[in-house]
Structure formats: C-alpha cells, structure tokens
Amino acid sequence: MFIREKIKRRNGKEYIQHQLIESVRTPAGPRQNIILNMGILDIEQDKWKLLANAIEEELHNQTGLFNSDPDINKLAQHYAQLIIHNRLSRMSGIEEIDNSEEIKDVQYEMVDVNSLKNSDIRSLGVEHIVFSQIEEYNLDTVLKDNNFSASQTDYARMLIAARLIHPSSERETARRLNENSALCELMQTHLAVYDNALHRTAVMIWEKHDGIEKQLSQTAKDLFSLKEDVILYDLTNTYFEGSKRGSKIAKPGGKSKERRNDRPLVTLALVIDEEGFPKKSRVLEGNVSEPGTLESMLDQLESFSGFGLDKRKTIVMDAGIATDENLELIKGRGYKYIAVSRKKKYEDCFWDKSEDEEIMLSDKKSKLKIKLVKTEAENYLLCHSMAKEAKERAIYRRKIEKFEEALTKLKLGLQKKGTTKRYEKILERIGRFKEQYKVGYLYKIKVQREGKIATDITFESNPAKQIKEDSLGEYVIRTNRTDLSGEDISRIHRSLTTIESSFKSMKSELGLRPNYHKNDDSTIAHIFITVIAYHVLAGILKKLRSQGIKYTWDSVRKILSNHARVTNSFNDKNGNTIHIRNSSIPTLKQREIYKTLKFKINPLKRVKWIISLKNKKNL
C-alpha cells in the first residue's frame, strides 16, 4: 500500500485529495486500485509510508513493531475502520429471516482470542423502526413523485429519519450519520453525507411540501383505515434566540406559548384527526391573528381529494379560533363544529332546566360535571373539571404571591439609595404589576407621598373583590351537532389534547426548537421536516398504543438505544484476519416493540470479510 496526492480542478479551483492505493497483478498486467479517498492529510509527506504500513497492520489486526508515533497510530486506526466499514457495508443487505434462524450451518474457526477487537459500534434500534415506518409509508415514491432525484431522495429520508432518531442541526446530523448511526447501512446507500447537501435538500422538501404532505396524509389514511370524521385545528408558536432582523415570518408582538414574548416568534398551524395523524400544516408569521387563519386552512384542506365532498366532518377548535364569524364560516361550508365558547359568562337561569350529570374521564379516576342545554340551532355544554379547578386555583395562588412579592420589594426600595422613588414612576410600576399578574383588583393599594416623592406603599385584600370560586374550573362548549349527547360532546372536545400532545412532541422530542437558521427558507424547512417526522411518528405510536403499549417516543428511543451494529475482528491460526459485522441480540423489551410494530427482529444480516495474509488482492 502507498499514499498518493491527487489534484482535482473544478470551476477554476484546485482541490487536493489524498488516496490510499494498492498495486495488484491482473491478467492484463499490474494495476492500481483506490482503497480509500482519505481527504486531505495533515502530516508530512515523509510519514505517508509509515501511515500506509500502519493502516495495513490495522486491517490485519496486527500490532505495529516499528512505528511508535501515536498520531500515526490514531490515523491508522481511523482509516482502517473506514475501510472495514465501507467493505462490510457493501456486503450488507436486508435480511428476510429472524436472527434466531440466521445461522443454519455450524462453522468452526481456531482463533487467537487475544486478538479480538470490537469497533465501529453504531446504533441500530431506533434507526430500524423509523426507517421501516418510512418504507411502509413509501416515502421514496412520494419524493420521486415530487421530482426528487435518487440522491435527493436518500438525503431527504436521512433528514426526516434523523429528526426522529436524534434531532439536531444538519452539521451534527451529518456527523452522526457518518460516525454513530447504522441508518445508511439500513438504507443501503453509500452517498457521502455532508451538511451542505442536507441543507439544500431541506429547502427542497419545503418547496415541495404541499405534494409531500398530501400524499403522506392519504397513505396514512389508507394504511390505518382512518375515518377522519373529527378534524382538530390549533396553532402554536416557537421563539428564536437571535434577532431575525429582516425576516418576513419571525415577528415580535405575538403571545408566546412558551412565555417568551421578548423574542421573535414564528407560528405553526396544524390540522390533525382525532387519532393524531397530521392532515395539513402551515407556517405563519409569529404575530398572526389566530381567528383569521381558519378560512385559508379550510381552502387548502378542501383541495385534498375527497375532503371537501364529505360534509359530515366535525371541526374541533379552542376558544382562540372560535369566533362567531368563524363558526358561521364553518356552517356556511356545510361542516359541523365543536368549540370552546368565547363567551365568559352565561346567566344562571340559562342552565336552570338542565340536569346535572357526572361522566368518568379516560383515566378512570377523574370525573367531569356537565349540564347540557339544547336549542334549535346549537347545543351548549357547561363543564366543571375538578382538575382544571385545582390548576386554576394554583395559578391564582402563584399570581397573588408574586404580586405581593413585587409590591413588597417596591415598598422596601423606597428606603434604599439609588432606587426609583418618584410618585408617578411608582404608580406606573404598580400598574405594570397589575397588568402582568391580573390580580390587582383583589387589593386596596395606597401610595403615600411627600411632594413628588413616594414615601410608603400599603396594600390589603379588598373585601368587595374576591376570586369567583364557583367559576373556577368551568368552561362552556358549543356545537351545531345537535345529535350528540353531553358525554359525546365532551369526549370529542377532549380530543383537542391530542393536538396539544402533538405540539409538545414536536417541540420536545422532534427538534422543532431550537431553530438557529437565519434565512426564512431554511427556518420554514426546519419546521416542516419536524412536521413530516411527526407524520412518521404518528404511525409508530398508533401501532404501539393499539396493543396497549403507551410509551412516549423518548422512552422508545431509550429502550432501543443499546441495540447496536458492531464489527468484531480477530486472527485465525493460519494468519488470516476475519472481520465480522453483526447486530447485538435484542432485549425482551426491544423484541416486544419490534413484534408489535410488525418489523423484523434483526433487519441486517451478518457479513464476513476475510483478509488473507498471503494474498492481499482482496483488500
């Protein structure tokens, strides 16, 4: 073996590349084979021969006798592992049989156990179920139908799978795919994975998002026989750490779902069915008015084949979108709706003729009190949730504590040097506290003054103003589904928790945040890849939950994290070096997940590469 330098010219620029070469004899005469493109070597040329010899020793699993340079040894181990990985990966294929049935013939070798080495350990478990679900969705066909080339299709599948496996930047994704993940082995691709290619592919996914999402939604509907009778619509937003100056979508001024109103926001509008499968998504400006988004979303949904023809669908919304105008819009298009009423207070007499009921919630522990009022056009359901009451009571208690702390701190500051004491400023600060904590009406607050200077602040509870205890935990649902019982109305409305769970999963498990991209196309692409990843995840979770397995996606990833692909190398008695690439044996929990999902227990077969000490042609 030897190393040579090759100069390539592209677009008027010269690029240096180093290659590891072997000389072989053929019937046509001596020839040179490229074993490995090594990139650019950062060592002196007089050490190239030492490195080539050290790589050959590593491939033959031998300890170097003469080379004691630690830098050369580290490089040799790195390049030898690349050669072994590339060779064994080309030999790998998708195995059609269970691991327990893989070896049918007994084969004995006399080996030096002290020569055994394990290398190139890569995670396989999560990659396996994600890629298998992507295959089940025929994502490659979907991408090709949207004019992706073969290489772009592979990069797109890598991006989407990586968002489920280990969400990170394109640079980190490329590093993990090259060094830590067996995804490329599963895909049987030998593409060079680098961040610029992933960046370009991400933007292309966004440019083709309408067609991709439409086909994925239809595929999921066919695979899982989804009824799509109930459609859930909601919005969320996320913030940016950077300023996003000049952005057309990242805008300040919106109400942050994560309480980061100090940062520019971008909004994601999402439509899913009651089983959690996405139908349509849109990326909107961060300060968008929620009610104004519904009409255009309905227009886009109706462009889906068959959606607009079925007027039995019920659209479920939260109060933020359920304006009177939007409810009239839905009725005008022939759909049904179930929505939280925006009206805060109904007269007590409105509920007089209705009977109190109690229904058991899905957790089999909590109960919900309801009253149903039927009118000719709409039904109204008054709900009282003990859990919601406890939550609202705790929120009020925290607000009161923080409000009193803020007033006390302001009061104590009047006695310290360097703090604000001007009477107008103190009143302004108190006004801000009232606006922030929303509990100022519960107090009588007095500010004493001497001229323009405030000297003291006193506050006490206002007996005439108290929290309306009887309204805590209450909300009203309105619907034009007059055929439903109170229990049915409540059940369908509670399916909104499905979309809330979807948003939570995207943000915490699928890398929706943080989003560090600077230009709008890359920003939107990042968000949309997360949505596509959730399309895939919805299918996995549906299969698991239908069999009573209610793991979160994080739990699934942890359980599968130690199912790995590994290369074992050792020497036999004849001086040959044997490299075997194999998968670890799945644990009981891992097998349970694979069998529930109806995926193979071991997706990659065992492969073996023998390097003969006497005959080096097989390098």
Side-chain angles (χ1 to χ4, degrees):
M1 285 187 185
F2 64 92
I3 296 171
R4 73 180 179 194
E5 183 175 274
K6 188 174 182 67
I7 299 177
K8 294 185 176 181
R9 292 176 175 80
R10 184 183 301 168
N11 299 327
K13 294 183 179 180
E14 289 189 350
Y15 298 90
I16 296 175
Q17 185 180 58
H18 294 101
Q19 299 173 328
L20 184 64
I21 306 295
E22 67 170 350
S23 297
V24 295
R25 294 181 179 179
T26 70
R31 294 290 185 270
Q32 293 181 347
N33 290 336
I34 299 175
I35 299 175
L36 183 69
N37 289 314
M38 308 173 74
I40 300 177
L41 284 176
D42 191 22
I43 59 173
E44 297 83 357
Q45 187 170 354
D46 58 3
K47 293 184 178 180
W48 288 3
K49 184 56 179 174
L50 284 176
L51 177 57
N53 292 340
I55 293 172
E56 190 164 7
E57 289 173 348
E58 286 289 335
L59 290 174
H60 287 281
N61 206 17
Q62 296 174 330
T63 303
L65 298 176
F66 305 105
N67 178 37
S68 59
D69 189 328
D71 293 332
I72 293 293
N73 290 333
K74 288 178 183 178
L75 285 173
Q77 291 171 4
H78 169 71
Y79 288 119
Q81 285 186 17
L82 281 179
I83 294 168
I84 296 169
H85 175 78
N86 291 343
R87 176 59 65 92
L88 293 174
S89 295
R90 292 191 194 101
M91 299 165 68
S92 297
I94 302 299
E95 186 60 276
E96 299 294 341
I97 53 179
D98 191 300
N99 190 50
S100 61
E101 303 172 342
E102 187 175 338
I103 303 174
K104 295 184 178 179
D105 297 323
V106 177
Q107 181 178 0
Y108 294 104
E109 297 281 356
M110 187 174 290
V111 301
D112 175 8
V113 294
N114 291 325
S115 69
L116 176 64
K117 291 181 181 179
N118 298 321
S119 63
D120 198 19
I121 302 171
R122 294 174 179 247
S123 61
L124 175 66
V126 186
E127 284 84 348
H128 171 32
I129 66 170
V130 168
F131 182 65
S132 296
Q133 190 62 47
I134 284 175
E135 288 281 273
E136 192 171 275
Y137 271 36
N138 293 318
L139 184 60
D140 56 342
T141 302
V142 172
L143 293 167
K144 289 171 185 175
D145 288 345
N146 285 274
N147 300 319
F148 280 67
S149 67
S151 60
Q152 289 167 339
T153 296
D154 278 348
Y155 284 132
R157 293 193 296 173
M158 289 177 195
L159 275 169
I160 294 162
R163 192 60 60 88
L164 284 148
I165 298 163
H166 184 84
S168 52
S169 66
E170 280 82 0
R171 177 176 293 180
E172 174 63 10
T173 295
R175 188 201 65 76
R176 283 191 62 85
L177 291 178
N178 286 322
E179 299 177 14
N180 304 113
S181 173
L183 179 63
C184 291
E185 283 184 72
L186 286 165
M187 291 176 59
Q188 294 182 285
T189 180
H190 303 290
L191 276 177
V193 184
Y194 54 100
D195 56 345
N196 284 339
L198 297 178
H199 273 297
R200 291 193 296 268
T201 306
V203 173
M204 187 175 179
I205 291 173
W206 163 241
E207 291 171 348
K208 306 288 185 178
H209 74 281
D210 280 331
I212 294 172
E213 194 162 40
K214 182 176 180 178
Q215 287 180 254
L216 283 179
S217 298
Q218 185 61 47
T219 300
K221 181 179 180 180
D222 296 339
L223 280 175
F224 297 99
S225 302
L226 303 176
K227 296 180 179 179
E228 297 183 343
D229 292 334
V230 174
I231 300 297
L232 315 176
Y233 178 55
D234 204 356
L235 298 93
T236 190
N237 55 38
T238 188
Y239 64 91
F240 294 86
E241 291 294 350
S243 64
K244 296 293 286 185
R245 291 190 181 94
S247 172
K248 295 181 180 179
I249 59 165
K251 299 289 185 181
K255 185 177 180 181
S256 172
K257 307 288 185 179
E258 296 145 340
R259 300 180 182 178
R260 289 300 305 269
N261 298 314
D262 58 323
R263 310 307 308 161
L265 306 172
V266 64
T267 297
L268 172 64
L270 185 65
V271 176
I272 69 172
D273 65 20
E274 61 183 324
E275 295 197 56
F277 286 85
K279 304 300 165 191
K280 184 65 182 175
S281 65
R282 291 175 62 210
V283 179
L284 305 168
E285 294 178 3
N287 57 0
V288 69
S289 170
E290 290 190 0
T293 65
L294 179 65
E295 184 172 9
S296 61
M297 182 62 83
L298 285 177
D299 290 340
Q300 294 188 44
L301 276 173
E302 289 178 353
S303 68
F304 281 26
S305 176
F307 186 94
L309 302 177
D310 185 357
K311 299 303 183 180
R312 295 173 299 174
K313 295 186 187 300
T314 300
I315 299 174
V316 186
M317 301 164 291
D318 215 337
I321 304 167
T323 62
D324 289 338
E325 292 80 5
N326 278 341
L327 298 184
E328 289 298 323
L329 170 67
I330 292 170
K331 287 193 294 184
R333 297 204 180 191
Y335 301 116
K336 303 297 183 180
Y337 62 79
I338 293 177
V340 177
S341 175
R342 292 167 68 95
K343 188 175 180 180
K344 299 295 184 182
K345 182 65 178 175
Y346 288 79
E347 297 295 331
D348 291 339
C349 61
F350 184 77
W351 310 103
D352 283 348
K353 295 182 180 179
S354 60
E355 297 182 359
D356 290 332
E357 296 180 64
E358 275 193 357
I359 59 175
M360 187 69 70
L361 300 182
S362 56
D363 61 5
K364 305 300 182 183
K365 298 178 182 178
S366 307
K367 292 183 178 180
L368 186 71
K369 296 179 180 179
I370 60 173
K371 285 185 176 183
L372 178 63
V373 171
K374 295 185 176 183
T375 68
E376 186 176 343
E378 284 185 305
N379 286 357
Y380 296 84
L381 188 70
L382 174 64
C383 304
H384 182 266
S385 166
M386 297 300 293
K388 183 177 173 64
E389 178 183 341
K391 180 180 178 181
E392 290 179 357
R393 196 180 299 279
I395 290 172
Y396 265 111
R397 186 167 58 249
R398 286 196 298 271
K399 286 182 176 181
I400 288 170
E401 290 173 356
K402 290 184 177 181
F403 183 70
E404 290 184 355
E405 287 175 6
L407 289 177
T408 301
K409 186 177 180 180
L410 191 63
K411 172 186 173 74
L412 295 175
L414 298 178
Q415 311 303 321
K416 297 179 181 179
K417 292 183 179 180
T419 58
T420 300
K421 299 179 179 64
R422 288 180 57 192
Y423 180 74
E424 291 81 3
K425 287 290 184 182
I426 295 299
L427 292 181
E428 183 180 326
R429 294 282 296 277
I430 293 173
R432 288 179 182 174
F433 295 155
K434 289 180 177 180
E435 182 179 358
Q436 180 178 358
Y437 299 111
K438 313 293 184 186
V439 293
Y441 70 94
L442 298 174
Y443 293 86
K444 287 182 178 180
I445 304 173
K446 293 182 180 180
V447 181
Q448 298 178 13
R449 61 188 290 186
E450 292 181 2
K452 296 183 178 182
I453 302 299
T455 58
D456 195 15
I457 301 172
T458 59
F459 56 93
E460 60 181 358
S461 298
N462 185 355
K465 300 285 186 179
Q466 296 295 326
I467 298 172
K468 297 178 180 179
E469 300 279 342
D470 58 346
S471 65
L472 291 179
E474 284 191 354
Y475 57 95
V476 176
I477 305 170
R478 57 188 295 193
T479 176
N480 61 345
R481 286 285 305 273
T482 55
D483 59 311
L484 297 177
S485 67
E487 185 172 355
D488 288 335
I489 293 170
S490 174
R491 175 183 55 78
I492 296 174
H493 166 258
R494 292 198 307 274
S495 64
L496 274 176
T497 58
T498 305
I499 200 166
E500 292 168 1
S501 297
S502 302
F503 287 141
K504 182 178 179 181
S505 178
M506 289 183 195
K507 290 181 178 181
S508 62
E509 297 176 320
L510 301 183
L512 182 65
R513 63 180 185 197
N515 189 331
Y516 294 113
H517 293 286
K518 295 182 179 179
N519 66 66
D520 284 351
D521 284 346
S522 296
T523 297
I524 298 173
H526 176 95
I527 295 170
F528 188 68
I529 288 170
T530 299
V531 174
I532 293 296
Y534 192 77
H535 276 263
V536 178
L537 179 57
I540 294 173
L541 295 180
K542 165 71 173 176
K543 292 179 184 178
L544 292 175
R545 289 168 183 170
S546 66
Q547 298 300 315
I549 299 176
K550 297 183 179 181
Y551 295 136
T552 65
W553 181 235
D554 271 342
S555 295
V556 173
R557 287 193 294 210
K558 288 174 182 176
I559 290 169
L560 298 178
S561 62
N562 63 345
H563 189 202
R565 191 81 170 152
V566 61
T567 297
N568 306 116
S569 304
F570 49 85
N571 299 331
D572 68 10
K573 67 173 184 177
N574 299 317
N576 300 321
T577 303
I578 303 173
H579 301 287
I580 295 178
R581 187 146 183 83
N582 198 13
S583 306
S584 63
I585 298 173
T587 65
L588 287 175
K589 283 190 175 182
Q590 290 166 354
R591 285 175 174 268
E592 178 188 29
I593 290 173
Y594 296 151
K595 288 184 176 180
T596 301
L597 295 172
K598 297 182 179 178
F599 296 150
K600 298 166 187 172
I601 299 298
N602 195 347
L604 290 170
K605 67 182 181 181
R606 177 181 299 182
V607 290
K608 181 168 65 174
W609 179 31
I610 301 176
I611 304 177
S612 171
L613 188 62
K614 298 178 181 179
N615 185 0
K616 299 181 181 179
K617 290 182 180 179
N618 53 8
L619 289 180

